[in-house]
Amino acid sequence: LKSELLQEGQENSREGGAVAVAVVAAEAEAEKKSKVVLCARCHSLRHYGHVKRPDAEVLLPDFDFVAAVGPRLASPSGARSLVLLLADASDFDGSFPRAVARLVAVTSEAHHADWKRGAPSNLPRAVLVVTKLDLLPTPSLSPDDVHAWAQARARAGAGADLQLAGVHLVSAARGWGVRDLLNHVREVAGARGKVWAVGARNVGKSTLLNAIARCSGAESGQTLTEAPVPGTTLGVIRVDGVLGAQAKLFDTPGLLHGHQLTSRLTPEELKLVQVRKEMRPRTYRIKAGQSIHIGGLVRLDVEDLTVGSIYVTVWASPLVPLHMGKTENAESMMKDHFGLQLQPPIGQKRVKELGKWVRKQFKVSGNSWDANTMDIAISGLGWYGIGLKGEAVLGLWTYDGVDVVPRSSLV
Ligand code: GDP
């Protein structure tokens, strides 16, 4: 940005001096504050992968953690690597960085085998950090249950034997769990460890790292500086002073998850879908032949039931409207109301742009009305909680490529 500003200044000679003075003044100010200062454009590039300028929106490629950082994790000796796997409590399965988790699991296994053979080994470790805990209905949840649930989901996401050195439930917005996390990271990383913070875009990584830095800064008075790691396209940022004199904390660019619905929405649509406050349930009692739409994004059909009705609870942003009706009218709902009354998408043209509308089928059986039997999560949106006493065949419709994940219920 600085060189761009200076170039712009040189081209426009009369303003050149003023621009250069502004840059120097901004640098001096930044130095005075002794912290990383990112302009809105750089912040946008790092965390959302594009520049927020309507006339020049540039989409950047995803950050390839496995290629860029993988070889460093695989180093059998030397400093210990610790990967912080971040997942958003309100979209766990969609945001969980599963490729990185798999890499850590596989690399650790290989190191373990070396170690058993007597070769030197320093296993890479992983800590799971569940962010934005304040978005869950925390008063009605037991932290132990959320802990166990998150650990099981992480293992399922990694698809491999992922050994976790710890699970932390945090809310950077509220300051919950930040100090415990910092203390634990320091302990696991040791004096010379390398810690990599990894997560999908919008998982809350910047907010968390800032909270961690504030927490450590209060103790040590040390400062944050930036240093690029060579060989990475979008830039890994080294955050100094947080973990002690020699241990290093690296902030990696937000991962782009194509399977999250959010990855294909416009900024206006995102505003409707992103959850900002504690989630509130919207529950329906529903019979065979009925459907529940979440905006124009997803539809759940109750295709067959061995009992009269089931309970379906929708957990999603309150700004997205729901609609319950007969499945036989679903096609006309899509034609006449998607993009209009049922938003997002905003505008009927966007329905086609979001992709092909496809169905997945689930067979569910449950034996209690008291607790939800299972969740069906839609990556980047939220989930349906299903409560039934009997058996049901459910059809889930959404846009092709969006992950739909059946899982044990969270709430
Ligand atoms: P990043 O893209 O992973 O760096 O995510 P950011 O830190 O920029 O956060 C993405 C969005 O989530 C922003 O709107 C934040 O305000 C919000 N956010 C981050 N942490 C929390 C949290 O602990 N609770 C809540 N409710 N929102 C959060």
Side-chain angles (χ1 to χ4, degrees):
L1 177 63
K2 177 183 157 189
S3 67
E4 247 184 52
L5 273 175
L6 286 171
Q7 205 179 0
E8 231 173 70
Q10 275 152 14
E11 279 162 16
N12 194 345
S13 63
R14 255 191 298 164
E15 280 168 19
V19 172
V21 170
V23 169
V24 172
E27 280 178 344
E29 185 61 21
E31 222 163 85
K32 218 167 42 186
K33 287 186 182 157
S34 290
K35 64 175 187 185
V36 177
V37 175
L38 289 181
C39 70
R41 182 173 175 276
C42 297
H43 183 270
S44 190
L45 269 171
R46 272 188 57 203
H47 298 284
Y48 303 99
H50 58 88
V51 178
K52 284 177 181 163
R53 259 178 55 192
D55 57 323
E57 186 134 310
V58 189
L59 280 171
L60 291 179
D62 192 12
F63 174 64
D64 191 347
F65 183 95
V66 174
V69 182
R72 289 157 179 263
L73 299 185
S75 149
S77 55
R80 158 161 292 162
S81 282
L82 169 63
V83 180
L84 303 182
L85 301 167
L86 271 59
D88 181 336
S90 66
D91 182 30
F92 191 99
D93 295 271
S95 62
F96 182 69
R98 50 200 186 192
V100 179
R102 196 169 307 129
L103 172 76
V104 175
V106 170
T107 314
S108 294
E109 216 169 275
H111 280 229
H112 197 67
D114 285 349
W115 175 74
K116 271 190 165 165
R117 282 204 313 271
S121 188
N122 207 349
L123 299 179
R125 312 284 299 272
V127 163
L128 173 64
V129 184
V130 183
T131 62
K132 309 189 193 175
L133 194 72
D134 58 294
L135 296 181
L136 296 183
T138 39
S140 53
L141 291 173
S142 122
D144 286 349
D145 288 351
V146 180
H147 196 281
W149 179 90
Q151 183 155 330
R153 292 313 310 152
R155 293 229 167 98
D161 188 17
L162 177 67
Q163 299 294 328
L164 292 167
V167 178
H168 288 261
L169 310 177
V170 305
S171 162
R174 303 279 182 89
W176 299 347
V178 176
R179 179 165 295 277
D180 281 355
L181 172 63
L182 173 61
N183 290 341
H184 190 211
V185 167
R186 282 178 171 161
E187 188 188 313
V188 179
R192 292 162 46 85
K194 289 184 178 155
V195 181
W196 308 88
V198 185
R201 290 176 193 174
N202 215 47
V203 75
K205 187 156 55 59
S206 308
T207 312
L208 178 65
L209 292 182
N210 281 327
I212 289 180
R214 271 198 307 277
C215 192
S216 80
E219 284 171 356
S220 64
Q222 296 204 42
T223 56
L224 300 184
T225 55
E226 256 184 53
V229 171
T232 57
T233 46
L234 287 179
V236 171
I237 307 276
R238 197 179 83 204
V239 187
D240 287 333
V242 172
L243 299 179
Q246 298 205 39
K248 295 187 182 84
L249 171 62
F250 296 101
D251 180 10
T252 62
L255 304 170
L256 176 64
H257 282 172
H259 56 263
Q260 278 180 303
L261 198 43
T262 33
S263 71
R264 35 184 111 172
L265 299 183
T266 63
E268 282 67 37
E269 290 166 345
L270 280 176
K271 278 187 201 151
L272 300 177
V273 161
Q274 276 164 358
V275 184
R276 291 203 165 71
K277 288 201 188 122
E278 183 183 309
M279 298 176 99
R280 300 230 177 266
R282 287 178 278 177
T283 300
Y284 296 81
R285 188 169 173 166
I286 161 170
K287 297 183 189 143
Q290 293 184 316
S291 304
I292 300 179
H293 288 87
I294 307 182
L297 296 173
V298 192
R299 179 181 112 211
L300 180 79
D301 298 343
V302 180
E303 294 178 0
D304 206 359
L305 271 185
T306 58
V307 282
S309 59
I310 63 172
Y311 287 102
V312 176
T313 303
V314 176
W315 296 89
S317 159
L319 301 181
V320 181
L322 308 183
H323 177 269
M324 186 178 111
K326 288 186 183 161
T327 306
E328 64 190 47
N329 298 332
E331 249 177 60
S332 62
M333 284 301 295
M334 185 165 190
K335 199 159 123 296
D336 300 333
H337 300 289
F338 273 31
L340 300 171
Q341 286 89 345
L342 290 176
Q343 291 188 342
I346 300 178
Q348 286 184 301
K349 184 168 94 47
R350 290 276 301 138
V351 179
K352 281 223 162 57
E353 286 172 8
L354 285 182
K356 203 171 146 210
W357 191 239
V358 294
R359 168 174 163 273
K360 276 197 180 134
Q361 198 181 60
F362 298 94
K363 293 193 172 127
V364 188
S365 64
N367 52 17
S368 163
W369 293 116
D370 302 333
N372 275 337
T373 306
M374 69 178 290
D375 289 346
I376 300 179
I378 304 97
S379 289
L381 178 66
W383 68 95
Y384 291 99
I386 314 290
L388 86 160
K389 210 171 173 179
E391 285 170 23
V393 180
L394 307 173
L396 193 295
W397 292 82
T398 189
Y399 299 97
D400 199 13
V402 173
D403 253 13
V404 176
V405 183
R407 63 183 195 191
S408 61
S409 67
L410 172 61
V411 184

